[in-house]
Amino acid sequence: MSVAGTNDAAPAVAPPARRGGRTLLLNILALAAGLLIWDGAVRLGAVGLPTPVEVLRQAAASIESGQLLRDALASLARVLSGFLLGVALAIPVGFLMGWYPTARALIEPYVQFFRTIPPLAIIPLAIVTMGIGEVPKVFVIFLAAFLTSVVATFQGVVSVDRTLINAARVLGARDATIFRRVVIPASTPFIMVGVRIGLGSAWATVVAAELIAAQSGLGFRMQQGQLYYDLPVIFVSLITIGLLGLVMDRIVIAADRRLTAWQEKA
């Protein structure tokens, strides 16, 4: 007697190339729909915003004058400096906290304390103590990226299945080998999540820092647009920030897929 359903064909799984093409098509359709809704809402008078065409004209003028490139490079340099420094320090500190209880007891209170203080609240203090140059801007970005990444790394280490660690010890592996071959790979997905969140925090922080004290950058340009009620300038800066953040996030995702190729994902 056959069991019902045993002869049913398994659901077909689309190849990665086809899934990628479908995702890209959906992304394009979503973007087109968003632009149409935006343009329609403005033309009907529902919102007092510039039309997509007006924003596009402002973007073309800013690109032609070189202003948009200078502002984008200034903000990007600040974000990369603070973000990379924050992540580079957060990963070893997070491993230290997760692997050694003594280090956790000594470091965790400071991490949790500063996590309750928004990095934006540090900006006035940073400007007063470090001046209005690049150092305070990079510092607050560093702090935002560090606090996010260190917690994610720490959580990744403490979430490693103890069975894997015990099995490695039974097989005669030393702590250094266990850490390198078991703990680091198992906590990498957590680390990459922290890196992605830290990247978003870095962009949010640099824009706030440039709004307070800067002579260049996308946040500074948004402030100038606000002073003169130049909405297309504000929109161009906002869209540029979103595009730069999206590109950087996709780079992090690509690195995540490469580093966690062993993990099953949907």
Side-chain angles (χ1 to χ4, degrees):
M1 180 177 179
S2 62
V3 180
T6 53
N7 294 326
D8 293 343
V13 179
R18 183 178 299 177
R19 291 201 304 268
R22 182 174 181 272
T23 300
L24 179 60
L25 178 60
L26 291 175
N27 289 339
I28 294 174
L29 290 175
L31 176 60
L35 290 174
L36 289 174
I37 293 172
W38 173 11
D39 186 71
V42 173
R43 294 184 184 280
L44 292 175
V47 292
L49 300 176
T51 64
V53 174
E54 292 173 335
V55 174
L56 183 60
R57 288 173 182 166
Q58 179 60 50
S62 299
I63 293 172
E64 185 178 357
S65 66
Q67 174 184 292
L68 183 59
L69 179 60
R70 290 192 297 270
D71 289 335
L73 289 177
S75 295
L76 186 61
R78 292 165 185 147
V79 168
L80 285 176
S81 299
F83 171 71
L84 293 177
L85 287 172
V87 171
L89 181 62
I91 292 176
V93 171
F95 279 136
L96 195 67
M97 290 172 56
W99 193 247
Y100 297 105
T102 302
R104 182 189 314 173
L106 293 173
I107 301 173
E108 188 175 17
Y110 290 98
V111 172
Q112 298 301 333
F113 172 79
F114 282 105
R115 281 186 66 234
T116 61
I117 303 175
L120 303 184
I122 304 294
I123 293 176
L125 178 61
I127 291 174
V128 170
T129 56
M130 302 178 186
I132 59 174
E134 295 299 309
V135 174
K137 300 178 185 61
V138 173
F139 173 75
V140 293
I141 297 168
F142 157 81
L143 191 62
F146 170 80
L147 293 174
T148 302
S149 299
V150 73
V151 172
T153 304
F154 162 71
Q155 190 61 42
V157 175
V158 299
S159 299
V160 175
D161 190 348
R162 302 300 301 183
T163 303
L164 298 177
I165 296 176
N166 293 333
R169 286 203 171 102
V170 168
L171 294 174
R174 297 180 179 272
D175 282 353
T177 303
I178 295 173
F179 188 78
R180 186 177 70 255
R181 301 293 297 273
V182 177
V183 175
I184 292 179
S187 47
T188 297
F190 290 84
I191 296 173
M192 299 309 295
V193 170
V195 169
R196 292 186 67 188
I197 298 174
L199 180 61
S201 300
W203 274 109
T205 305
V206 73
V207 170
E210 290 174 349
L211 288 173
I212 295 176
Q215 297 301 317
S216 63
L218 296 169
F220 167 76
R221 196 59 56 191
M222 289 170 60
Q223 185 183 39
Q224 296 297 304
Q226 176 192 359
L227 292 176
Y228 297 102
Y229 201 72
D230 194 342
L231 291 179
V233 168
I234 297 176
F235 265 76
V236 169
S237 298
L238 283 173
I239 293 172
T240 303
I241 291 170
L243 290 175
L244 290 174
L246 180 62
V247 170
M248 293 178 69
D249 182 70
R250 292 299 179 236
I251 293 173
V252 173
I253 290 176
D256 179 28
R257 288 174 178 168
R258 187 175 183 85
L259 292 172
T260 60
W262 50 270
Q263 187 181 37
E264 293 185 3
K265 296 182 181 180

